[in-house]
Amino acid sequence: MSNSTQRFSDRVENYVKYRPDYPAQVIELLRSECGLAPHSIVADIGSGTGIFARLLLATGCSVYGIEPNAPMRKAAENLLVGYDAFVSVDATAEATTLPDNSVHLITCAQAFHWFDLALCKREFSRLLQPGGFIVLLWNERRVEATSFLRGYEQLLLDFATDYEQVNHTQIDDAVLKDFYAPRGFSKRTFENRQWFDYDGLEGRLLSSSYTPGPGHPNYRPMLHALRGLFEAHQQNGKVSFDYDTNIYWSAP
């Protein structure tokens, strides 16, 4: 977890190309359960390369993208250049620099597990207007769903650097119950999927901060194993990455 704000600096290109989007049902849920509307002001915290911010902006709302990593923040600025309602902010989840009671909605997509939870809970409480919502979401690989995904999980266990230490699944219901106290939270799960040829699969692997890069002794053996895994499971030159998109939001 050390230096978590810089972990992805050398992964940005692969992150932009190969990380999954989010199902359309997520935005519909935010509309129905959290009051997302064109007048909403949203703080997308840990906004990264802008993947989720783009979906929010498409609804017509205003979005502050809070991102401390300069290369990722620049990628988001490039992606979202056509949206006047996007404001890119060089700040952290624990100190966003936004004014008190300034946002209707806080979103954290694929980012919350990197935060200092006690500090960001206090910061989120400061930012939110009365009746606002905190929304956390992750695309979680279905690690046991197929023989390919089981093999991919084993590849990470065999070759990655600190995968088990930084895996976001450490944020369990007990952690979330404490974070969302005293309001409590609700949860919904949607299906999501990506299809990859070998180049896409390699890019998806190398987009993760816990995979070794060139020069690391595990790098070439890892890619050799990935090629073998792909060849064993590809159908018509593709393999499927299956996800559960889990979304959590604060109770009214």
Side-chain angles (χ1 to χ4, degrees), residues 53 78 87 119 122 127 137 143 149 157 185 192 201 212 215 217 241:
N78 290 338
V87 178
L119 292 179
R122 185 165 60 201
L127 293 183
L137 64 156
V143 297
L149 288 171
L157 295 172
F185 67 93
N192 202 5
L201 177 63
F241 250 53

Side-chain angles (χ1 to χ4, degrees):
M1 294 293 284
S2 65
N3 202 21
S4 62
T5 63
Q6 300 304 316
R7 288 179 66 103
F8 290 94
S9 293
D10 61 349
R11 313 290 169 127
V12 171
E13 183 177 356
N14 283 323
Y15 204 104
V16 169
K17 289 181 179 179
Y18 301 117
R19 283 300 179 104
D21 214 323
Y22 297 89
Q25 297 101 310
V26 169
I27 295 298
E28 293 307 312
L29 184 148
L30 295 186
R31 288 188 173 113
S32 63
E33 300 294 335
C34 303
L36 179 67
H39 69 270
S40 297
I41 300 172
V42 183
D44 187 33
I45 299 183
S47 52
T49 61
I51 294 171
F52 192 61
R54 179 169 57 179
L55 298 182
L56 293 167
L57 289 161
T59 71
C61 69
S62 299
V63 177
Y64 290 96
I66 310 298
E67 177 52 56
N69 182 284
M72 296 191 86
R73 193 172 61 252
K74 181 62 175 177
E77 291 165 1
N78 290 338
L79 177 71
L80 304 174
V81 67
Y83 290 98
D84 293 337
F86 178 69
V87 178
S88 180
V89 182
D90 178 7
T92 67
E94 299 82 7
T96 64
T97 75
L98 299 184
D100 293 355
N101 307 122
S102 58
V103 303
H104 302 103
L105 186 66
I106 289 172
T107 60
C108 307
Q110 215 73 27
F112 182 72
H113 54 290
W114 298 114
F115 303 162
D116 181 310
L117 302 193
L119 292 179
C120 77
K121 179 174 181 176
R122 185 165 60 201
E123 179 72 352
F124 291 5
S125 296
R126 184 186 69 79
L127 293 183
L128 269 185
Q129 295 182 3
F133 291 85
I134 299 171
V135 177
L136 313 177
L137 64 156
W138 287 271
N139 282 311
E140 299 189 11
R141 251 183 309 109
R142 294 175 159 185
V143 297
E144 295 292 336
T146 65
S147 56
F148 164 70
L149 288 171
R150 289 192 294 273
Y152 187 86
E153 179 73 3
Q154 188 60 54
L155 181 146
L156 295 178
L157 295 172
D158 290 343
F159 295 106
T161 53
D162 55 355
Y163 171 59
E164 293 180 277
Q165 288 72 42
V166 303
N167 192 330
H168 68 259
T169 57
Q170 295 183 54
I171 303 294
D172 59 16
D173 281 358
V175 172
L176 293 171
K177 182 177 179 181
D178 181 65
F179 179 78
Y180 276 114
R183 288 175 68 178
F185 67 93
S186 298
K187 175 185 178 183
R188 192 81 55 83
T189 300
F190 302 111
E191 293 184 357
N192 202 5
R193 175 173 289 122
Q194 291 176 290
W195 289 94
F196 291 122
D197 60 14
Y198 176 76
D199 288 342
L201 177 63
E202 182 177 305
R204 176 64 179 85
L205 175 69
L206 296 178
S207 76
S208 298
S209 68
Y210 44 72
T211 55
H216 191 284
N218 280 0
Y219 178 73
R220 291 194 178 281
M222 177 184 69
L223 294 186
H224 179 76
L226 185 71
R227 173 65 77 173
L229 182 67
F230 176 82
E231 295 298 342
H233 296 284
Q234 61 84 21
Q235 295 185 4
N236 299 317
K238 297 285 183 71
V239 291
S240 174
F241 250 53
D242 302 330
Y243 302 93
D244 287 325
T245 300
N246 289 319
I247 178 168
Y248 306 82
W249 69 98
S250 40

